[in-house]
Amino acid sequence: MPYVNIKVTREGGPGGAGPSTQQKAELISGVTELLAKVLGKNPNSTVVVIDEVDLENWGIGGLPVPEYREKTNASISSTQ
Amino acid sequence: MPYVNIKVTREGGPGGAGPSTQQKAELISGVTELLAKVLGKNPNSTVVVIDEVDLENWGIGGLPVPEYREKTNASISSTQ
Amino acid sequence: MPYVNIKVTREGGPGGAGPSTQQKAELISGVTELLAKVLGKNPNSTVVVIDEVDLENWGIGGLPVPEYREKTNASISSTQ
Amino acid sequence: MPYVNIKVTREGGPGGAGPSTQQKAELISGVTELLAKVLGKNPNSTVVVIDEVDLENWGIGGLPVPEYREKTNASISSTQ
Amino acid sequence: MPYVNIKVTREGGPGGAGPSTQQKAELISGVTELLAKVLGKNPNSTVVVIDEVDLENWGIGGLPVPEYREKTNASISSTQ
Amino acid sequence: MPYVNIKVTREGGPGGAGPSTQQKAELISGVTELLAKVLGKNPNSTVVVIDEVDLENWGIGGLPVPEYREKTNASISSTQ
């Protein structure tokens, strides 16, 4: 009966358009197995929902992901 | 003041592209009436958000919905 | 297969400690029936989760609910 | 380490297709600063996710937003 | 950078008061490893939040869990 | 009409039992002002819900927060 919501950025996978069908299937089966193993939950009533979020809709460090990565990469290259 | 989030798979409705505008309106009014009737909540401050989720992003029984249905239908027809 | 999350303030019900067991049962059955009627969803795979939120953890009009109600009631009585 | 989810209707911004990239960046930085100021949270572990919801998927007053606004505007003009 | 929310009923674990500290630690590490393996996500920015929900606040089959189980067990024993 | 959900760990504030009433009021007013300023949203229909999560229910770096901090502090002191 568990409900699991996985939010990831819409990147990677084929054409960079987000996780592939295969990857999403692996996340669903992996999480369901984990809950069966750790808590004995019934896979048939375990619900998993995957949300894919556009990069500019995801913030970290006070910046949208694209800007955060730009800033992080710039600071790395400035120390090289 | 209640907040209700309804997550459904993106299927059914016109062209199978998810619930129709009319169906979503019925869900919104139905849930709002239910909260007014059961808890006396004010419809004008009852927020309802409907999320439509792609079939391959929804897992049940450790499988994405399309594969789960395939497996379920196969096991049904094998018993006929 | 729908997943419905209902968030309400922790008030009303017995002792004002939030919706009663009976009221929560009515919300669960009402929402499940609504999804079966409008979208033909199977009740046996419809998950409903009710979250009860402390009044000071719920904001409206820029204020926690207790202060918002105080302010609203004060402005009502000032117009009487 | 906070996680903030902001759900807004998909409107406004360029072409009315939802908040602009700039507006979303302002929401992300504003929320992150607020959590740093009020709770001393580390911006680098503050996650903000913005969800944009279609108008017909958002209900208020028992109606989808487009119908709610129509009804509200009609009642305003009837009192003028 | 993924955000994973796991909702489970408040049962099992020591004294039946919900998953044990150890079980929750296993869920956190298992989900984080899964996201690193499948999507190459950095564990240090993978956030996992576990919500424990009272049985009467969780609905399935149109009933709160306690009633649903009663009904299911009754129908099983009636077929024995 | 925005809905904002803020999840923070249950720490800090009076007695370390989570944000104080005053801090939560500041988060509510701050977020509501931000949405009014950036997107012109009406404070009276902006809903903010704050969830406080037990430390052992929050995972980062594959560990529950208490263990993550122990590990991080140990590695810091080992470099001093």
Side-chain angles (χ1 to χ4, degrees), chain C residues 4-63:
Chain C
V4 182
N5 177 222
I6 301 174
K7 287 192 196 297
V8 289
T9 41
R10 197 190 303 277
E11 59 182 330
S20 67
T21 302
Q22 176 56 28
Q23 287 173 317
K24 288 184 274 196
E26 283 176 42
L27 291 178
I28 289 168
S29 68
V31 159
T32 304
E33 274 165 40
L34 178 67
L35 284 155
K37 190 185 81 177
V38 176
L39 295 181
K41 297 296 184 184
N42 176 354
N44 280 321
S45 59
T46 297
V47 174
V48 182
V49 169
I50 300 170
D51 292 324
E52 299 173 52
V53 179
D54 291 339
L55 290 178
E56 67 175 32
N57 285 42
W58 195 294
I60 185 82
L63 296 167

